[in-house]
Amino acid sequence: MSQIAKRLAELGITLPQAVAPVANYVPFVRSGNLVFVSGQVSIGPDGLVKGTLGQDMDVAAGQTAARLCGLNLIAQFAAACEGDLDRVKRVVRLGGFVAADPAFTDIPKVINGCSDLMVEVFGDAGRHARSAVACPVLPLGAAVEVDAVIELG
């Protein structure tokens, strides 16, 4: 069992199946040692988490939605690595998008739900550069979407 697989088990995390694209794009593209992972929305075992931060969702609910995005990202990482997550040398960058009311300003706190997961799973290799922006609406009505760039070793 790989080190990351052991870490996931210790955390009680079972990765979901990698989500198929919903439009004309691929889930990830590899260029050299970098893998660019398409945005993953806040979907979990109970379906798509929809909502607007600052209207019908608070920061804690947004962080939970962002964590779901992170789980879906890691599932895509696994697909890009043929199942061997120990090949992830570094989570280089996350791009976080939050459906938010114009008055809602805690966008970075919401995306911490995904960022914290990357560090929990990958340790120091999970520390990354990041953007976190608000949007009036996201695809399918999702509350949060996060994309990523990872480096493979």
Side-chain angles (χ1 to χ4, degrees):
M1 179 181 279
S2 75
Q3 292 302 313
I4 298 300
K6 286 179 188 173
R7 183 72 183 134
L8 288 168
E10 289 169 4
L11 293 169
I13 294 173
T14 301
L15 290 179
Q17 290 289 87
V19 178
V22 298
N24 187 16
Y25 63 91
V26 294
F28 57 85
V29 171
R30 184 172 177 173
S31 180
N33 288 340
L34 295 179
V35 178
F36 297 79
V37 183
S38 296
Q40 302 295 301
V41 295
S42 49
I43 190 166
D46 298 325
L48 184 64
V49 176
K50 297 180 178 184
T52 304
L53 277 291
Q55 288 181 9
D56 55 0
M57 293 182 78
D58 62 13
V59 170
Q63 289 172 331
T64 299
R67 185 177 177 91
L68 289 172
C69 295
L71 291 171
N72 290 313
L73 283 169
I74 296 170
Q76 295 293 355
F77 298 174
C81 296
E82 294 85 33
D84 183 6
L85 286 168
D86 283 354
R87 291 181 56 204
V88 176
K89 183 176 179 182
R90 179 90 194 207
V91 178
V92 177
R93 182 184 180 284
L94 297 179
F97 304 89
V98 177
D101 183 271
F104 185 81
T105 59
D106 285 331
I107 308 306
K109 289 181 183 177
V110 170
I111 299 302
N112 281 347
C114 185
S115 292
D116 293 348
L117 176 67
M118 295 301 157
V119 175
E120 287 174 33
V121 173
F122 297 102
D124 282 340
R127 297 191 186 284
H128 51 270
R130 185 181 91 177
S131 60
V133 297
C135 303
V137 66
L138 288 169
L140 308 173
V144 181
E145 180 175 353
V146 182
D147 62 25
V149 178
I150 61 171
E151 180 184 6
L152 300 183

